[in-house]
Amino acid sequence: MPDTTAKTPVIVMAYANERTEDGFLRELTTEMKEVMNALEPAVQKGRVHLKLIPAATQEEIAAVFQDEWYQERIWIFHYSGHADGDELWLEDENGGNKSFFSLGLARFLGVQKGLKLVFLNGCATKMHTPLLLEKNIPAVITTSEKIKDDMARDFARHFYRGMASGANIEESFGEAEGLILAAVGNNHFSASATRSLFWEEDTEAAKLDLPWKISFKEGASWFPAQWRLFHELKEADNAEDFLAEALIGQTIGNYEILELLGTGSMGSVYKVLHKNFNEERAMKITHRVVEGYDLLKDVVFAGNKGLSSINHPNVVKSHDVGETILFGQK
């Protein structure tokens, strides 16, 4: 198995606006700045890389995902701008607008390895949800109704501040909901500029539920709701537990780590998926070793070589053995 260095996850944030006076979203630039500020502490500590695409076109979004430097590192795709259940309203090279239709969006994002969350911060994007989940996106945030431009700004800021603090997706979403309701109560549907593709004012009666909804892929072998943007590697008594949990969702060689099965004195055992064969297997990763690493390596490699030659129903079959670098350490 080749050496693999843990890579910094990337958040891609695409912003697109409408140039007409009625449809222009005045809070869109402010949202971009506030989300940048919310994520800045995590960026400074090297926990995440932020890729902003202002005045986003379909070609610019595609170019980022298809850039070798970003491949398999993009964990979150965020869109802010006008939308509806069938399309996102991107910009074009001539300063106009161009649709990115939901079927193409879901298919394009669905083949991106490592993508864990899609957040569509536009009006009434809920119809995108089943398409994205069907394409195996683990977590999706969309909206059930039109959303006010200023509330969309605030919700995004609160959500990403939570993610930057180390909260998981579910916690960050709940914090954002609570802070919005604390600020506006049930008046969030009062007439205001919205991110709809249609510019008329929203005259719906006030509702108690916020329009943002979070959905998770059913049957996932890991728990997307508990996924975090990063894990602190604390020097504490439970440091190995932090390390063990931090590996979930990572890919080592041909193996995607799905679930922690257990931890013992020598190491942790995970359920993994062999990406080429599409087979689930168990992988043991030893705890960090400060002294005697070379001796342990020789013992493990020799032992697995012997096990691989044994074929018996009462003996665990050994398929592979290797060495990797995790969080800068072997």
Side-chain angles (χ1 to χ4, degrees), residues 33-70:
K33 292 178 179 178
E34 291 185 356
V35 169
M36 285 176 58
N37 290 334
L39 289 167
E40 183 64 20
V43 173
Q44 289 179 348
K45 294 178 181 178
R47 296 165 171 165
V48 66
H49 180 88
L50 187 59
K51 175 62 177 178
L52 296 174
I53 312 178
T57 67
Q58 182 174 313
E59 180 62 28
E60 288 172 327
I61 292 173
V64 171
F65 278 96
Q66 293 172 338
D67 187 324
E68 183 180 0
W69 193 81
Y70 289 108

Side-chain angles (χ1 to χ4, degrees), residues 18 20-25 79 81-89 97 99 101 122-125 145-149 191-204:
E18 161 65 34
T20 65
E21 182 177 352
D22 289 336
F24 185 73
L25 298 172
Y79 168 79
H82 287 297
D84 65 12
D86 189 50
E87 59 191 300
L88 306 182
W89 200 230
N97 294 98
S99 297
F101 291 105
C123 281
T125 54
E145 308 284 348
K146 295 179 181 179
I147 55 174
K148 292 171 60 177
D149 193 25
S192 174
T194 71
R195 296 188 176 185
S196 170
L197 290 180
F198 307 98
W199 317 139
E200 71 270 13
E201 288 187 344
D202 190 348
T203 57
E204 292 188 50

Side-chain angles (χ1 to χ4, degrees), residues 257-328:
I257 299 179
L258 304 176
E259 181 182 346
L260 175 64
L261 298 178
T263 299
S265 58
M266 183 176 179
S268 298
V269 178
Y270 299 87
K271 179 193 291 186
V272 299
L273 178 69
H274 194 291
K275 297 168 66 177
N276 292 339
F277 297 152
N278 197 31
E279 293 178 352
E280 289 188 352
R281 296 175 179 174
M283 174 189 288
K284 174 178 278 189
I285 298 178
T286 63
H287 296 317
R288 292 176 295 172
V289 177
V290 178
E291 297 181 1
Y293 174 81
D294 290 336
L295 176 60
L296 175 63
K297 176 183 172 181
D298 291 341
V299 170
V300 171
F301 274 60
N304 278 271
K305 184 177 181 180
L307 282 174
S308 67
S309 64
I310 299 175
N311 188 12
H312 190 278
N314 295 329
V315 177
V316 175
K317 182 68 175 177
S318 177
H319 294 280
D320 204 349
V321 64
E323 178 182 25
T324 189
I325 298 175
L326 302 175
F327 313 110

